[in-house]
Amino acid sequence: MIIQESNDFVHTLAFQIPKQGKICCGDSFYINATEDYLICALADGLGSGEYANESSSAICTLVEENHHEDVEVLIDLCNKVLRNKRGATVSILKVDFKSKKFTYSSVGNIRFVFSLPSGSYIYPIPILGYLSGKPQKYRTQTYSYERGSKFIIHTDGLVLPAVKELLNQSHSVEELSQSLSKYTKVGNDDLTYIVGQLF
Ligand SMILES: [Mn+2]
């Protein structure tokens, strides 16, 4: 499955494939680009199949219904929505186009790399573990970006040997997606990535 969401300020492309032999994907994502901001949520439900999907899709529904909220608020709401469900690893990215800043918060093993056109990279450090409705610490960080910046957010079903080079060598989200295709064969975990480029 490939989904694209774009406007004058951002181009994004998401790709998802379930674990080998499964119809239901345990990963879920949500992307929305408004005139003011981009919001992305990616969740990986523990295990796989239906119950993993129940948790990860609850995260995405919550972010969809509350996408105007700040990342700090959203990540805590995400934790609460998982009470009495299977846990999930969760990442939320919000990019403000006017101030050219992005805010990111993550709990668990979802990977995020942000590449600036100047040649530097930002790897916000996630909190270890997963959300499960229990009291939880968060780390929410804000950074500045420049026009032309690119990013990738992906679940642990995608294993990339050289993510910096991939980001560097691709001039568009379509090119990036093309160069990721050899790493996205059906495997032993659900696999989701979101790539984006900011303008
Ligand atoms: Mn996974």
Side-chain angles (χ1 to χ4, degrees):
M1 171 172 68
I2 293 180
I3 298 219
Q4 285 194 276
E5 169 88 358
S6 297
N7 66 16
D8 290 348
F9 305 103
V10 68
H11 292 175
T12 67
L13 190 155
F15 173 91
Q16 183 169 76
I17 188 165
K19 178 178 175 171
Q20 189 156 27
K22 299 271 181 179
I23 296 157
C24 180
C25 188
D27 295 349
S28 297
F29 65 93
Y30 170 69
I31 306 173
N32 185 9
T34 74
E35 282 302 295
D36 299 313
Y37 57 83
L38 168 76
I39 181 134
C40 294
L42 180 55
D44 179 345
L46 294 191
S48 63
E50 204 180 315
Y51 291 110
N53 179 269
E54 187 197 2
S55 290
S56 64
S57 57
I59 295 292
C60 291
T61 303
L62 182 128
V63 175
E64 183 174 2
E65 288 168 353
N66 299 277
H67 65 80
H68 55 277
E69 294 283 2
D70 288 340
V71 174
E72 293 88 338
V73 174
L74 288 170
I75 193 93
D76 193 43
L77 290 173
C78 286
N79 189 35
K80 293 189 170 100
V81 88
L82 291 182
R83 208 173 278 155
N84 302 318
K85 290 190 179 67
R86 237 189 232 186
T89 63
V90 177
S91 284
I92 301 174
L93 169 70
K94 197 162 192 177
V95 182
D96 185 82
F97 303 137
K98 299 237 160 56
S99 66
K100 285 209 156 34
K101 285 185 169 140
F102 70 88
T103 301
Y104 183 78
S105 192
S106 182
V107 177
N109 60 7
I110 291 170
R111 322 284 162 86
F112 175 62
V113 183
F114 194 98
S115 145
L116 294 152
S118 56
S120 55
Y121 297 87
I122 301 167
Y123 294 89
I125 305 154
I127 297 272
L128 296 177
Y130 55 88
L131 297 183
S132 61
K134 298 195 183 83
Q136 176 71 48
K137 282 187 178 167
Y138 307 104
R139 188 184 290 120
T140 304
Q141 293 167 288
T142 299
Y143 305 85
S144 294
Y145 70 88
E146 299 144 33
R147 194 185 148 86
S149 295
K150 285 167 273 182
F151 65 83
I152 181 165
I153 311 175
H154 65 91
T155 58
D156 62 340
L158 178 64
V159 179
L160 296 174
V163 66
K164 284 184 179 181
E165 284 75 4
L166 284 167
L167 281 166
N168 234 336
Q169 287 159 9
S170 308
H171 301 291
S172 65
V173 291
E174 290 81 8
E175 248 185 75
L176 196 45
S177 177
Q178 192 57 47
S179 57
L180 289 169
S181 61
K182 65 178 164 203
Y183 305 106
T184 56
K185 306 301 171 213
V186 176
N188 54 9
D189 196 3
D190 302 314
L191 183 163
T192 309
Y193 70 73
I194 301 167
V195 290
Q197 186 169 25
L198 292 150
F199 300 98

